[in-house]
Amino acid sequence: MRIRMMADGRVLEGTAKQIAEAMHALAFGQENRTLSEYIDWAVDQARRMNEIDLEVKGETDEEKAQSLVRAMLAAGLAEKL
């Protein structure tokens, strides 16, 4: 899968988990969070900074990453290429 982040035009590619991992790696000051914690933080940031509620669910990193990417696409924060 390839997506373009609308905020900065960056193109991310791979599985949903790989995309979430790339986002995590790019997020300043978030290196000490697990991937699951980063996803929860990103959802909170979208709510607080952009007033966008992303509904992200899942028990595993893979499930949460898939849910995150799906929610970002639905909210217009990213577009599928």
Side-chain angles (χ1 to χ4, degrees):
M1 165 187 325
R2 290 180 70 207
I3 65 169
R4 175 179 292 121
M5 303 299 292
M6 303 312 289
D8 63 5
R10 190 180 311 257
V11 174
L12 303 175
E13 185 171 359
T15 65
K17 184 179 178 191
Q18 290 169 328
I19 289 171
E21 288 170 338
M23 292 168 55
H24 183 200
L26 294 167
F28 181 76
Q30 301 308 309
E31 55 277 344
N32 292 326
R33 294 183 191 264
T34 66
L35 182 58
S36 182
E37 290 169 341
Y38 164 74
I39 292 171
D40 293 340
W41 174 85
V43 168
D44 184 57
Q45 287 297 106
R47 184 179 307 113
R48 290 186 322 113
M49 303 298 284
N50 300 320
E51 298 181 359
I52 297 173
D53 286 323
L54 300 177
E55 188 172 332
V56 174
K57 297 180 181 179
E59 297 298 317
T60 66
D61 286 350
E62 289 83 3
E63 291 170 347
K64 284 181 85 168
Q66 287 174 348
S67 186
L68 174 66
V69 171
R70 223 177 289 124
M72 289 173 52
L73 291 169
L77 296 175
E79 70 176 344
K80 196 168 185 176
L81 301 177

